Amino acid sequence: MRSATRGAGIGYDRNFLFPEFALVNQSLMKSYRQQNRPVISYVPRVEPAPPAHALKVDGFRDVWQLRGKYVAFVLRGENFERSPTFTVAEAAQRWAMQIRQDDDIQE
């Protein structure tokens, strides 16, 4: 009598047991983080004034609308510092308030 685990028969056959790596194609998977990529931080642009085509958003001190997005301009010295673009006007104003607080800008 042959057992189910030995030889040809019903049961577990070692030809049907796949190693873990055979079930997932490793070349298709992305790594969790990309190696050797520099960390990019936002460096605010310095402009002489907000652009002429920018629309001032009512109810906000530093927020302007450019191409459907919201941007904050903070006067620093003789130039304006421009924020990254935001989809919400409140976020742009928070950015401006944070810049003012970090640099102790009074206006």
Side-chain angles (χ1 to χ4, degrees), residues 1-71:
M1 181 172 191
R2 298 173 79 174
S3 69
T5 58
R6 296 174 115 190
I10 299 173
Y12 295 101
D13 188 9
R14 69 183 190 151
N15 292 333
F16 290 106
L17 295 176
F18 295 106
E20 213 174 285
F21 62 88
L23 297 176
V24 178
N25 187 348
Q26 296 291 328
S27 65
L28 296 177
M29 292 183 64
K30 289 185 175 180
S31 63
Y32 287 114
R33 64 187 270 285
Q34 295 180 356
Q35 303 294 325
N36 300 325
R37 301 273 318 259
V39 176
I40 299 172
S41 60
Y42 179 76
V43 177
R45 288 177 49 177
V46 176
E47 299 184 4
H53 64 277
L55 302 172
K56 182 82 168 102
V57 179
D58 291 334
F60 295 98
R61 179 179 178 183
D62 304 303
V63 181
W64 298 73
Q65 189 172 14
L66 286 170
R67 297 184 191 99
K69 300 284 183 172
Y70 298 100
V71 178

Side-chain angles (χ1 to χ4, degrees), residues 41-105:
S41 60
Y42 179 76
V43 177
R45 288 177 49 177
V46 176
E47 299 184 4
H53 64 277
L55 302 172
K56 182 82 168 102
V57 179
D58 291 334
F60 295 98
R61 179 179 178 183
D62 304 303
V63 181
W64 298 73
Q65 189 172 14
L66 286 170
R67 297 184 191 99
K69 300 284 183 172
Y70 298 100
V71 178
F73 289 93
V74 176
L75 184 61
R76 186 184 268 182
E78 296 178 1
N79 295 318
F80 284 90
E81 196 167 303
R82 178 181 167 175
S83 73
T85 58
F86 295 98
T87 56
V88 180
E90 289 84 4
Q93 186 61 50
R94 281 195 306 269
W95 181 90
M97 289 170 47
Q98 186 67 44
I99 292 297
R100 289 180 189 282
Q101 182 179 355
D102 289 347
D103 295 340
D104 253 354
I105 298 175

